[in-house]
Amino acid sequence: MSSGSGIHTYTGVWTNWSRGTILGATITLSPRDGGLLAAFLALYVSFAGTMFWQFLKFVLHQLNTTEPGAKRDGLHHQRQVVLRNSGGAAEALREFAVMPMNWHGRARRPYHRVSAFALLAALNLAGFGVASIFTSAVTRVPGNSTIILGPSCGGFMIKPDTTVQSEGSAYKIQADTYEAATYVRQCYHENATSPACGVYHRPSLSFTTSSNVSCPFAPSVCYPNNQSAFSMDTGLVDSLLDLGVNSRPEHQIKYRRVTTCSPVYYKPWFQIVNGTAQNQIIYTEAGPTYQRSYNYTFYYNSRSAGNGLGYSLSAVYALAGSEANSAWVPHRLLNRTDADVVLMMLNQNDIAYEAPSDDPWMPAHVPAKDTPDNNVWVGDYSLNLMGCTEQYQICNPNKGQSSSACTKLLGQEQVIPKLTSIDLNEHQIWIAGRILTNAGSMTMYNSVQGRGASALNANEHTIQTVQPYIPPTQWQTEVSIWFATSLAKLQLYMVEWATAPSNIDVGPSSKYAVNTPTSAIEVAMCRGQMVRHAGGQQSFSILGLALILLLGGLLMVLGSTADTVSAWLRRKGDHRVLQWALEEKLQLQRAAYEGSGVGGVWEGRLDAVPTTDGNGLLMPPSSDVFLNDQSTAASRPLSEQQLKF
């Protein structure tokens, strides 16, 4: 995907239709704002945990209050004081941990009586601690999907005054092919980890392969037999889930592509014209090319095999039902009226194989001359042919499993007029158009033509012209990679339509121009192309955010109002209300000073903050009051033995 200036991620609120109206409500934020939100959520959940402890400790305290007239031991009352005054679960846990050690041997089963409270405090602390860490992960959208925007939208066109429009298009198509081929090497395999694999909605489009299928051409054309062809099928590719076109369910379509390839017997089309054994012109007469300007399909000069050349590869194509737009008119044995056809010619030239090759498209069993020990082999034939058929299909998900939900598998130009037969709505037609108008750039022909030997996986392993061992299924590896390359180009074209054309210049002096969207549907699609992530932006689920804020807020309300509401609902003088008020730390301080005869008369015995009745009354510190004889605040200090408390 082009990284040209102006391509950016949409930030704001939007709906990810792959998750539905409610679950798909999404907000995308910049890296800075996303980080701030994640930090806020962590603090918010942590504070909610603290407030939940306030509620929990109130419930535990009230369940363990002492009935009027009853008596409990000191451990019980200290436990109540800890519940009443702990500011958080961590503080309570620390105090519960040391309490039974000090009461050991002085109270009945101190560890048993405190452990449950300590466990609840620990669970509260751990649970909300973990939740605060993973909150942002819970609220983030799976795959971190975002909407990508660009400086232009709607695809591109070649300006009418361009001298040769086909050449202008070919330059971009070939550049796109090289880009897609690089992407395939990085991302179209299991456990791909390259950062480049995050630029599309899916890292790759999957497809299934089938070996030993029926020959897609006339009988006896396929080599080695009529059941040796190889098929690649995308299955139904979803416009939203796979291609990232973010649209309502009723606006989505499904796309399918099936390509079947096979080596082809070359002898029926083989024609040698003039020349010597070292300089033969070999024609492949499988149908005329270029508007019937040439009455042959390929030609090859055998002298290429003596000039130190490696592989050479070329191709021609024919569109079903459209001879005017085809580069080749196939021979009747290779022609298909319901599929586009591609024919490729491979020349092994001076490639020397370190082991005999049993691959039917790259056979090599002829010992090379003038080699020691005859341990090098060369190609069996001067040229080798491969034929492929390509078919396309569009389906309307709104029609379910109906037999009329999909078009038939046809050539690319044959499918377009059939879209009306499956009752696509206007939105669906636009999405199908985005796919099919680029189909001509995504063919097996364009995965090969112009790239020569660089299109071959086998060539990547050659050293000069020496080829290490290749398996008998190497040709299947080659066509699978070309098929994957065409799918990577589909991913590229879906994104560049909504952003900006890649691999071309659309400036004023360029031969290319951007198509400006004119309809409301086009404008909507310009703001509806999803990718996995771009530029570090983060997408959050609005539902997830709302639930966290709502539940956290509820815990905060419970923690801050439980004691007040409980006091309102209970009768005046209820012992549970009184003990909750009197065991608060400031009330305990008041009681301690009053019991020691210090501070005079105190007011607000049940208030949150008790006060002395007297302006500016001075009192001694606790160390002077509570560690001296209670008969007088200024009497002698307690003995060392008495200080052991």
Side-chain angles (χ1 to χ4, degrees):
M1 183 178 65
S2 172
S3 57
S5 62
I7 296 180
H8 61 283
T9 298
Y10 169 77
T11 54
V13 177
W14 57 285
T15 300
N16 183 340
W17 289 106
S18 66
R19 308 186 72 219
T21 304
I22 297 176
L23 292 177
T26 304
I27 181 169
T28 298
L29 300 175
S30 66
R32 181 183 68 87
D33 293 342
L36 290 174
L37 177 59
F40 166 77
L41 290 174
L43 292 174
Y44 184 85
V45 171
S46 179
F47 182 67
T50 299
M51 297 308 294
F52 178 70
W53 174 251
Q54 299 300 311
F55 171 74
L56 181 60
K57 74 174 189 178
F58 172 75
V59 173
L60 294 173
H61 179 278
Q62 297 294 282
L63 291 175
N64 290 276
T65 53
T66 304
E67 294 289 337
K71 294 183 179 181
R72 301 283 184 88
D73 64 1
L75 174 62
H76 170 83
H77 292 296
Q78 283 188 356
R79 193 179 64 189
Q80 289 293 91
V81 169
V82 171
L83 289 172
R84 176 62 182 89
N85 294 284
S86 58
E91 179 184 349
L93 178 62
R94 179 179 60 83
E95 295 180 344
F96 284 140
V98 301
M99 188 180 295
M101 293 186 289
N102 288 276
W103 281 98
H104 182 69
R106 293 178 174 84
R108 181 175 55 87
R109 299 189 301 166
Y111 290 98
H112 176 77
R113 292 166 62 188
V114 173
S115 59
F117 296 88
L119 178 61
L120 289 174
L123 290 176
N124 179 270
L125 182 65
F128 281 91
V130 172
S132 66
I133 296 174
F134 290 101
T135 296
S136 59
V138 172
T139 56
R140 285 200 181 112
V141 175
N144 199 21
S145 297
T146 57
I147 295 291
I148 194 166
L149 305 174
S152 59
C153 178
F156 75 99
M157 64 178 179
I158 301 175
K159 294 178 181 178
D161 56 350
T162 300
T163 305
V164 183
Q165 291 201 16
S166 60
E167 288 185 3
S169 177
Y171 294 141
K172 171 174 166 48
I173 292 172
Q174 189 164 61
D176 294 341
T177 301
Y178 277 107
E179 181 177 334
T182 300
Y183 184 85
V184 167
R185 282 194 294 271
Q186 294 174 323
C187 307
Y188 268 66
H189 57 83
E190 294 183 2
N191 304 317
T193 58
S194 171
C197 303
V199 298
Y200 302 130
H201 187 55
R202 287 196 185 279
S204 62
L205 300 179
S206 61
F207 60 94
T208 59
T209 61
S210 300
S211 302
N212 301 319
V213 301
S214 298
C215 177
F217 305 112
S220 302
V221 169
C222 292
Y223 178 79
N225 57 62
N226 288 332
Q227 291 297 130
S228 59
F230 183 75
S231 178
M232 296 154 288
D233 190 341
T234 63
L236 294 178
V237 177
D238 192 282
S239 61
L240 171 58
L241 299 179
D242 298 309
L243 301 179
V245 181
N246 193 40
S247 57
R248 294 176 178 272
E250 63 271 21
H251 296 160
Q252 297 162 22
I253 67 165
K254 294 186 184 295
Y255 160 80
R256 182 185 178 198
R257 177 177 167 184
V258 179
T259 297
T260 304
C261 298
S262 174
V264 171
Y265 281 105
Y266 78 94
K267 289 186 177 180
W269 333 106
F270 189 91
Q271 182 68 39
I272 299 177
V273 178
N274 297 328
T276 64
Q278 290 76 30
N279 188 20
Q280 293 180 335
I281 304 299
I282 303 174
Y283 289 92
T284 302
E285 297 180 348
T289 54
Y290 297 101
Q291 310 293 313
R292 299 182 183 270
S293 298
Y294 305 102
N295 60 1
Y296 57 86
T297 312
F298 302 110
Y299 80 93
Y300 171 72
N301 191 328
S302 63
R303 189 167 53 186
S304 300
N307 291 335
L309 296 178
Y311 293 109
S312 60
L313 179 64
S314 54
V316 291
Y317 70 92
L319 302 180
S322 182
E323 181 178 324
N325 294 324
S326 300
W328 166 53
V329 180
H331 186 280
R332 60 180 180 81
L333 297 178
L334 292 169
N335 189 43
R336 286 284 296 269
T337 59
D338 61 347
D340 301 333
V341 180
V342 178
L343 187 65
M344 306 171 199
M345 179 181 70
L346 172 71
N347 307 110
Q348 293 159 289
N349 297 319
D350 279 343
I351 292 292
Y353 295 82
E354 293 184 337
S357 170
D358 294 325
D359 183 272
W361 194 47
M362 299 179 175
H365 301 91
V366 179
K369 297 179 180 179
D370 302 324
T371 58
D373 303 323
N374 292 326
N375 59 353
V376 175
W377 291 261
V378 297
D380 293 355
Y381 312 111
S382 298
L383 59 88
N384 302 280
L385 300 179
M386 169 96 71
C388 296
T389 59
E390 300 189 272
Q391 295 179 299
Y392 307 84
Q393 186 177 51
I394 298 292
C395 295
N396 184 353
N398 297 330
K399 303 192 73 172
Q401 301 298 318
S402 170
S403 59
S404 61
C406 299
T407 66
K408 294 181 179 180
L409 283 166
L410 297 168
Q412 57 182 271
E413 293 198 0
Q414 294 175 316
V415 172
I416 296 176
K418 300 296 183 180
L419 297 181
T420 55
S421 66
I422 56 174
D423 300 325
L424 297 180
N425 58 48
E426 195 172 358
H427 288 82
Q428 292 174 305
I429 290 175
W430 270 106
I431 296 174
R434 284 175 60 181
I435 297 173
L436 294 176
T437 53
N438 285 306
S441 303
M442 303 182 299
T443 60
M444 298 289 276
Y445 168 82
N446 281 307
S447 292
V448 170
Q449 185 64 12
R451 297 174 63 198
S454 67
L456 294 169
N457 172 263
N459 188 67
E460 296 180 7
H461 305 284
T462 61
I463 300 176
Q464 294 182 340
T465 59
V466 177
Q467 175 72 68
Y469 168 80
I470 59 174
T473 56
Q474 180 64 34
W475 72 277
Q476 297 178 2
T477 299
E478 303 293 351
V479 297
S480 295
I481 292 174
W482 300 335
F483 190 75
T485 299
S486 66
L487 297 182
K489 291 175 78 173
L490 172 59
Q491 293 177 283
L492 167 67
Y493 293 146
M494 298 307 290
V495 171
E496 77 166 24
W497 188 95
T499 54
S502 60
N503 298 314
I504 58 172
D505 176 21
V506 291
S509 60
S510 170
K511 67 180 74 173
Y512 304 98
V514 174
N515 290 322
T516 302
T518 56
S519 69
I521 295 176
E522 285 182 282
V523 172
M525 286 198 299
C526 288
R527 302 178 65 86
Q529 181 60 50
M530 291 196 297
V531 295
R532 294 181 70 197
H533 62 76
Q537 282 77 5
Q538 300 180 46
S539 293
F540 297 86
S541 166
I542 292 178
L543 176 63
L545 291 173
L547 288 175
I548 287 176
L549 295 175
L550 179 63
L551 293 176
L554 178 61
L555 295 180
M556 294 176 192
V557 171
L558 286 174
S560 59
T561 63
D563 54 347
T564 303
V565 173
S566 177
W568 288 344
L569 296 177
R570 288 169 173 166
R571 59 182 175 81
K572 186 176 182 180
D574 187 287
H575 71 282
R576 292 166 292 183
V577 177
L578 294 176
Q579 290 177 31
W580 179 258
L582 293 171
E583 289 172 0
E584 198 275 331
K585 56 183 177 294
L586 295 181
Q587 289 292 350
L588 292 176
Q589 183 193 47
R590 173 198 60 76
Y593 273 111
E594 276 190 333
S596 299
V598 177
V601 179
W602 288 75
E603 297 178 346
R605 288 174 170 271
L606 295 177
D607 294 342
V609 182
T611 59
T612 58
D613 183 15
N615 185 20
L617 179 64
L618 301 179
M619 296 184 295
S622 58
S623 59
D624 288 350
V625 177
F626 306 135
L627 294 181
N628 291 323
D629 187 5
Q630 293 185 6
S631 62
T632 172
S635 64
R636 67 186 183 281
L638 296 176
S639 67
E640 185 176 339
Q641 181 66 27
Q642 290 173 313
L643 287 174
K644 294 181 178 179
F645 57 92

